[in-house]
């Protein structure tokens, strides 16, 4: 079965950088879109960024555009989220997600577009 395992979370100071990884296994992800979502305490889960596995087209939420970058390494079956210029409001549990879809990434911004989810990794940014 599909497994998504996130890693790379931890405590970071404001202005710092961190890279999250999502190791994907269990099937070919051709035709899939991979995404990062996050959920802060007391808030709803929100979209961060996504990437089409084949072709690599991406979309980033306005709140992270210019600071975060999603990428993938097909040879390693891994999706990354490079986070720069971190802010305290980036504190959240970050989840990796995957879903099959022919639609472009910009149309896949809600959690119901994704069928597979990881367990999440905590990112805490101190001021």
């Amino acid at each position: 079965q599909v497994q998504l395992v996130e890693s790379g979370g931890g405590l970071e100071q404001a202005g710092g950088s961190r890279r999250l990884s999502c190791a994907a296994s269990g099937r070919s992800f051709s035709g899939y879109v991979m995404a990062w979502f996050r959920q802060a305490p007391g808030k709803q889960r929100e979209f961060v960024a996504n990437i089409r596995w084949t072709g690599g087209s991406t979309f980033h939420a306005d709140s992270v555009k210019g600071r975060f970058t999603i990428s993938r390494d097909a040879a390693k079956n891994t999706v990354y989220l490079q986070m720069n210029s971190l802010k305290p409001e980036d504190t959240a549990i970050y989840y990796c997600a995957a879903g099959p879809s022919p639609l472009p990434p910009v149309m896949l911004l809600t959690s119901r577009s994704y069928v597979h989810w990881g367990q999440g990794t905590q990112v805490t940014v101190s001021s």
Side-chain angles (χ1 to χ4, degrees):
Q1 71 276 20
V2 173
Q3 274 198 314
L4 303 175
V5 180
E6 304 97 333
S7 61
L11 177 63
E12 191 62 61
Q13 289 189 332
S17 297
R18 203 147 191 105
R19 188 177 79 161
L20 304 183
S21 300
C22 171
S25 62
R27 63 157 296 130
S28 165
F29 291 94
S30 173
Y32 270 61
V33 174
M34 314 294 287
W36 288 97
F37 283 76
R38 66 185 181 185
Q39 188 165 17
K43 295 189 176 181
Q44 288 190 331
R45 190 170 298 190
E46 68 167 344
F47 170 82
V48 176
N50 60 9
I51 184 168
R52 174 161 294 287
W53 190 266
T54 304
S57 57
T58 64
F59 186 80
H60 295 76
D62 286 345
S63 58
V64 305
K65 201 169 292 183
R67 300 189 299 121
F68 292 11
T69 303
I70 191 171
S71 64
R72 56 94 175 88
D73 184 331
K76 295 182 178 180
N77 254 27
T78 300
V79 178
Y80 302 100
L81 185 69
Q82 178 66 45
M83 307 185 294
N84 299 328
S85 303
L86 282 163
K87 305 176 181 179
E89 51 264 44
D90 294 319
T91 295
I93 299 174
Y94 284 72
Y95 296 92
C96 179
S101 178
L103 299 176
V106 67
M107 298 182 70
L108 301 169
L109 308 185
T110 62
S111 57
R112 64 174 176 267
S113 297
Y114 301 89
V115 296
H116 305 292
W117 292 83
Q119 291 300 305
T121 185
Q122 175 73 47
V123 174
T124 303
V125 184
S126 63
S127 57

